[in-house]
Amino acid sequence: MAKTTTKKEPAKKADTAEKDPGGAKTQAAKGTGIHAPVTPSKELGAVVGTDALPRSQVISKVWEYIKAQNLQNPENKREIVADEKLKKVFGKDKVTMFEMNKYISAHVKA
């Protein structure tokens, strides 16, 4: 006797971001959190521009600048060797990529 098999429909995933009031889609729509526009300081503005940007874009533009200027230590890519513009933001000659955000945060205001 042949077995009859039934195909199971794959479970549909709920879009929790739309239902969750603190979800990423809601925050992006409101312009809060990492998506909130911030104004760079004069020092940081020399690197990323002076227009208000979301924090995520500020970090992206700093990384673009670091890569364009070849400021990563070739022996330790996690270390950023600051040029004159970034020294004004970081306050020192070298920072790790992990501490970079701390210094950038001091140069933006909501």
Side-chain angles (χ1 to χ4, degrees), residues 49-99:
T50 55
D51 293 337
L53 297 165
R55 287 181 190 271
S56 57
Q57 286 295 311
V58 171
I59 300 300
S60 292
K61 286 184 178 269
V62 170
W63 271 110
E64 286 174 17
Y65 179 82
I66 289 168
K67 290 182 182 197
Q69 301 297 319
N70 199 25
L71 298 176
Q72 283 180 280
N73 180 347
E75 296 171 7
N76 180 3
K77 294 280 189 180
R78 292 179 285 183
E79 185 176 65
I80 311 303
V81 180
D83 64 358
E84 289 304 313
K85 289 181 181 180
L86 286 179
K87 280 182 191 176
K88 292 176 182 176
V89 175
F90 299 151
K92 51 195 211 173
D93 295 336
K94 296 179 183 179
V95 297
T96 67
M97 60 190 219
F98 304 110
E99 60 186 354

Side-chain angles (χ1 to χ4, degrees), residues 19-39:
K19 294 178 183 178
D20 180 17
K25 288 185 180 179
T26 305
Q27 285 183 350
K30 290 181 183 176
T32 60
I34 197 165
H35 302 288
V38 293
T39 305

